[in-house]
Amino acid sequence: MIEALRSLGVDAVYKPTNDISSAYGKIGGAAQTRRGGAVLHHVTMSYDIDTRKMLEVLRIGKEKLSDKGTASAAKRVTPLRQQTALPRQAIIDRFIDTFADCYGLERGDLEEHERLAAERLVEEKFGTTGWTYLLP
């Protein structure tokens, strides 16, 4: 991700333990949990954001902010749209191209059984109110 961001003109750096940032602010972060012998890892990259709305929906404790040396989460997030002025798809395409160059990539379409399995997961799990409103 750092290589792709730098190729877009963003002087991106990794900030331990889980952030990607630049001099203008946080661009993305990662989280991971391990349960039942499985690992779930996700990364959030900010393209554009309504900072006021973000602060309404996220539960960001004072301890988390003080760990980052800031008084407000709004001041530490600067999305990619502000840092590059590029359309979202151009950034996504650069991420894909950089990943392909670094690790190889075989492009293809989902097979019918894969698409049906994904739709079933949405219907039975990820599209339910029980999943949507689950608070850990």
Side-chain angles (χ1 to χ4, degrees), residues 76-91:
R76 69 179 287 260
V77 176
T78 306
L80 288 171
R81 183 176 180 189
Q82 291 176 12
Q83 296 193 47
T84 65
L86 291 170
R88 182 176 177 270
Q89 192 59 52
I91 294 171

Side-chain angles (χ1 to χ4, degrees), residues 93-107:
D93 291 344
R94 181 63 58 91
F95 288 163
I96 292 169
D97 291 344
T98 302
F99 184 89
D101 290 345
C102 290
Y103 304 107
L105 180 66
E106 186 178 320
R107 295 181 186 260

Side-chain angles (χ1 to χ4, degrees), residues 6-69:
R6 287 182 178 166
S7 74
L8 292 167
V10 177
D11 190 17
V13 294
Y14 168 68
K15 297 267 188 160
T17 59
N18 60 355
D19 290 345
I20 297 173
S21 191
S22 78
Y24 298 103
K26 181 177 176 178
I27 300 164
Q32 187 177 96
T33 186
R34 297 162 192 245
R35 293 188 192 144
V39 176
L40 172 64
H41 184 86
H42 82 90
V43 175
T44 300
M45 296 289 290
S46 175
Y47 172 72
D48 197 10
I49 196 164
D50 179 336
T51 306
R52 287 181 304 188
K53 188 63 74 182
M54 174 192 75
L55 295 174
E56 288 177 25
V57 299
L58 291 180
R59 296 174 283 168
I60 304 172
K62 291 180 183 175
E63 183 177 303
K64 171 85 171 177
L65 291 173
S66 67
D67 287 349
K68 302 294 184 183

